[in-house]
């Protein structure tokens, strides 16, 4: 009979736990947002499933497509709204809000932010580097072909007693993400 020790040949050697406060996030097309990001997630992953009917009970069978949750970034908004407008222009630019001219101008901006040379700046790759307990890079999460689809509002409120800074939240869709060690090997 197999024991847990014989099945798991490699024991956990590093007993330090992953910290959620040490990270660097970069999105190639949005450098201002990159600089002021203060909260980001590694999205969850699930798969669909089908149920095989039987005369006793339905049996779940794994599906064929992974479902990736959204990438969400919170960021501090600067006084000149540079980072907020960076995302707003991106969302407006990919959605033809007022005229075709707006999307044409948007596509002429900048360079190639992904391997999609025919997509003309609609997408951008992003990387999340997670630091270890000694603030050294531990692993990286690479998001391919991301684009923002939701940008949070900025709520003005003169009745607030404590002075605080605006934060906003942007949600991205992307093709896929993979996790790599710092040498580029997939985990």
């Amino acid at each position: 009979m197999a024991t847990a020790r014989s099945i798991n040949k490699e024991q956990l050697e590093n007993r330090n736990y992953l910290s959620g406060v040490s990270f660097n996030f970069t999105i190639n097309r949005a450098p201002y947002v990159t600089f002021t990001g203060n909260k980001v997630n590694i999205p969850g992953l699930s798969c669909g499933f089908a149920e095989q009917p039987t005369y006793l009970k339905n049996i779940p069978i794994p599906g064929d497509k992974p479902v990736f949750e959204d990438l969400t970034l919170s960021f501090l908004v600067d006084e000149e709204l540079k980072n907020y407008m960076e995302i707003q222009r991106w969302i407006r630019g990919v959605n033809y809000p007022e005229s075709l001219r707006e999307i044409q101008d948007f596509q002429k901006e900048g360079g190639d932010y992904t391997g999609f040379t025919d997509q003309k700046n609609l997408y951008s790759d992003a990387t999340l580097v997670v630091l270890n307990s000694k603030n050294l890079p531990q692993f990286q999460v690479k998001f391919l072909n991301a684009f923002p689809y939701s940008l949070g509002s900025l709520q003005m409120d003169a009745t607030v007693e404590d002075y605080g800074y605006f934060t906003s939240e942007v949600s991205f869709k992307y093709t896929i993400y993979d996790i790599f060690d710092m040498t580029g090997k997939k985990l």
Side-chain angles (χ1 to χ4, degrees), residues 57 86 92 98 123 163 173-174:
K57 154 187 177 201
E86 183 174 56
R92 291 169 65 95
E98 295 175 21
Y123 304 96
Y163 184 77
K173 296 290 186 185
Y174 52 91

Side-chain angles (χ1 to χ4, degrees), residues 66-86:
V67 178
F68 294 93
E69 291 180 359
D70 295 340
L71 169 63
T72 304
L73 172 71
S74 293
F75 61 96
L76 293 165
V77 179
D78 68 282
E79 281 185 333
E80 297 173 349
L81 294 179
K82 285 186 177 183
N83 53 7
Y84 188 83
M85 294 308 298
E86 183 174 56

Side-chain angles (χ1 to χ4, degrees), residues 14-177:
N14 183 349
R15 303 259 181 203
N16 293 324
Y17 298 107
L18 186 62
S19 171
V21 298
S22 301
F23 64 89
N24 295 317
F25 180 77
T26 56
I27 186 152
N28 301 348
R29 191 173 210 308
Y32 293 129
V33 171
T34 292
F35 181 72
T36 58
N38 60 0
K39 187 178 3 174
V40 68
N41 67 322
I42 298 175
L45 175 66
S46 63
C47 72
F49 65 93
E51 289 192 345
Q52 173 72 42
T54 69
Y55 68 94
L56 294 175
K57 154 187 177 201
N58 289 347
I59 300 171
I61 300 171
D64 60 348
K65 295 179 187 174
V67 178
F68 294 93
E69 291 180 359
D70 295 340
L71 169 63
T72 304
L73 172 71
S74 293
F75 61 96
L76 293 165
V77 179
D78 68 282
E79 281 185 333
E80 297 173 349
L81 294 179
K82 285 186 177 183
N83 53 7
Y84 188 83
M85 294 308 298
E86 183 174 56
I87 297 296
Q88 190 180 91
R89 276 192 297 278
W90 190 356
I91 292 173
R92 291 169 65 95
V94 299
N95 287 293
Y96 308 95
E98 295 175 21
S99 70
L100 287 176
R101 182 81 176 146
E102 197 166 356
I103 187 69
Q104 292 165 347
D105 290 344
F106 176 78
Q107 290 176 340
K108 290 177 188 173
E109 288 179 13
D112 179 23
Y113 299 106
T114 70
F116 278 179
T117 54
D118 61 333
Q119 294 299 320
K120 304 197 186 229
N121 298 327
L122 303 181
Y123 304 96
S124 179
D125 291 344
T127 304
L128 170 64
V129 176
V130 178
L131 308 177
N132 66 15
S133 58
K134 296 176 184 164
N135 275 343
L136 298 172
Q138 183 68 25
F139 63 89
Q140 55 189 336
V141 184
K142 293 189 177 189
F143 299 89
L144 299 180
N145 309 317
F147 66 93
Y149 74 90
S150 173
L151 177 62
S153 63
L154 298 177
Q155 184 69 39
M156 307 293 171
D157 185 354
T159 64
V160 174
E161 293 181 20
D162 290 334
Y163 184 77
Y165 298 105
F166 276 120
T167 60
S168 188
E169 191 169 274
V170 58
S171 295
F172 294 90
K173 296 290 186 185
Y174 52 91
T175 306
I176 194 167
Y177 75 82

